Amino acid sequence: MTPLDDQLFDAPTPFMVLVRPQMGENIGAAARAMLNFGCARMRLVAPRDGWPNPKASAMSSGAYKVLDRAGVFDDLSAAIGDCDYVYATTARGRELTKPVLTPERAMIEARAMAAAGKRVAVLFGPERAGLENEDVARANAIITVPVNPAFYSLNLAQCVLLIAYEHARLGLESPAEVMAMAGTDFATSIEREKLGDHFEERLQSAGFFFPPDKAEHMKLNLRNMWARLALTRADVQSLHGMLRKLVGARGQR
């Protein structure tokens, strides 16, 4: 790798996270699309045919440097655990309450967050059916491409290309909105995950998840809520403290 390569991989571009990709050819085509527009940070979650994949290298048309440095993870939580803000790409309605943005608007936000030192990820689902609701619930917002509603299916690499193109096209344009952080940081994905675990534990003990046949859907909605809220690390610490205090006060009665 050359110093220019290092500079490319160190650039604060979004992590393009391919969740359970099925075909090596599509991974390679996605890497090519990323490099076309200056994005080089790829992460793979449980690729179906294992990794490395020679078909991905063949299809990348020289973008092997993206594939060589791609991070490989067993599950989505590990892949986004160090990210401050996560977008999920999907064309289907999910019955989840989240902001839904165009690629342009999302990449304006992503650039603003990157300028403030935040780590941003974009999730792309497997080729057959896209992201599962459990995947989307872990994202802060949704990106939907305004395609023909009568035929909205996009190839994985095409979707990656659209997001990478919008990120590159915006260049140094002024962001439409900037989050004022007041000296704190966004909570990372793993910090929100642990907060969700804490709430589930306390609510389970209190008998909140009733009736049992609705428990999993209730838990999914809670996970979605934590991802949707722009929680800071201070917020997460306060919520953990509130839960511990409430449990302690109940035990003293």
Side-chain angles (χ1 to χ4, degrees):
M1 294 289 178
T2 68
L4 285 177
D5 289 331
D6 291 333
Q7 184 178 355
L8 177 66
F9 282 90
D10 290 339
T13 56
F15 290 98
M16 303 298 191
V17 183
L18 311 190
V19 181
R20 300 181 298 278
Q22 297 170 310
M23 298 178 63
E25 293 90 338
N26 283 332
I27 299 173
R32 178 181 181 180
M34 288 171 58
L35 200 56
N36 282 153
F37 296 103
C39 293
R41 305 202 288 183
M42 173 182 279
R43 291 183 174 182
L44 305 174
V45 178
R48 184 190 66 182
D49 296 335
W51 194 257
N53 187 317
K55 292 181 179 179
S57 298
M59 185 61 74
S60 71
S61 295
Y64 57 86
K65 60 186 69 176
V66 174
L67 301 176
D68 289 345
R69 292 200 186 188
V72 184
F73 301 83
D74 292 331
D75 57 65
L76 180 57
S77 294
I80 61 174
D82 61 346
C83 295
D84 301 293
Y85 204 87
V86 179
Y87 296 96
T89 59
T90 179
R92 296 185 286 115
R94 298 292 184 153
E95 298 182 352
L96 297 173
T97 305
K98 284 187 185 293
V100 179
L101 296 81
T102 64
E104 179 183 24
R105 174 63 182 176
M107 291 303 98
I108 288 173
E109 288 187 351
R111 278 189 168 275
M113 285 186 276
K118 311 304 177 188
R119 296 163 72 90
V120 177
V122 183
L123 310 183
F124 303 88
E127 295 90 322
R128 185 179 63 82
L131 295 167
E132 300 290 340
N133 277 1
E134 289 77 8
D135 303 321
V136 179
R138 284 173 165 76
N140 301 94
I142 289 171
I143 299 175
T144 294
V145 178
V147 294
N148 176 8
F151 189 73
Y152 56 76
S153 177
L154 282 174
N155 173 270
L156 172 59
Q158 291 173 331
C159 193
V160 172
L161 184 145
L162 283 168
I163 302 305
Y165 164 75
E166 285 292 348
H167 186 269
R169 183 182 67 83
L170 290 165
L172 300 177
E173 292 179 7
S174 298
E177 179 180 342
V178 177
M179 176 70 76
M181 296 302 293
T184 187
D185 291 318
F186 278 124
T188 64
S189 179
I190 194 66
E191 288 167 339
R192 291 194 301 272
E193 192 88 11
K194 289 181 178 179
L195 178 64
D197 292 342
H198 194 178
F199 262 87
E200 279 191 16
E201 176 187 347
R202 300 307 185 192
L203 292 171
Q204 186 74 46
S205 299
F208 176 78
F209 298 115
F210 184 85
D213 62 321
K214 295 185 177 179
E216 288 307 311
H217 186 67
M218 294 167 73
K219 291 177 181 179
L220 177 63
N221 283 339
L222 281 172
R223 293 287 176 176
N224 180 54
M225 181 182 72
W226 298 128
R228 187 174 73 246
L229 298 175
L231 294 172
T232 66
R233 285 182 165 174
D235 294 332
V236 168
Q237 291 169 0
S238 295
L239 288 166
H240 278 300
M242 291 176 195
L243 283 175
R244 288 189 289 268
K245 189 68 175 178
L246 285 171
V247 172
R250 185 176 61 181
Q252 295 173 6
R253 290 179 182 175

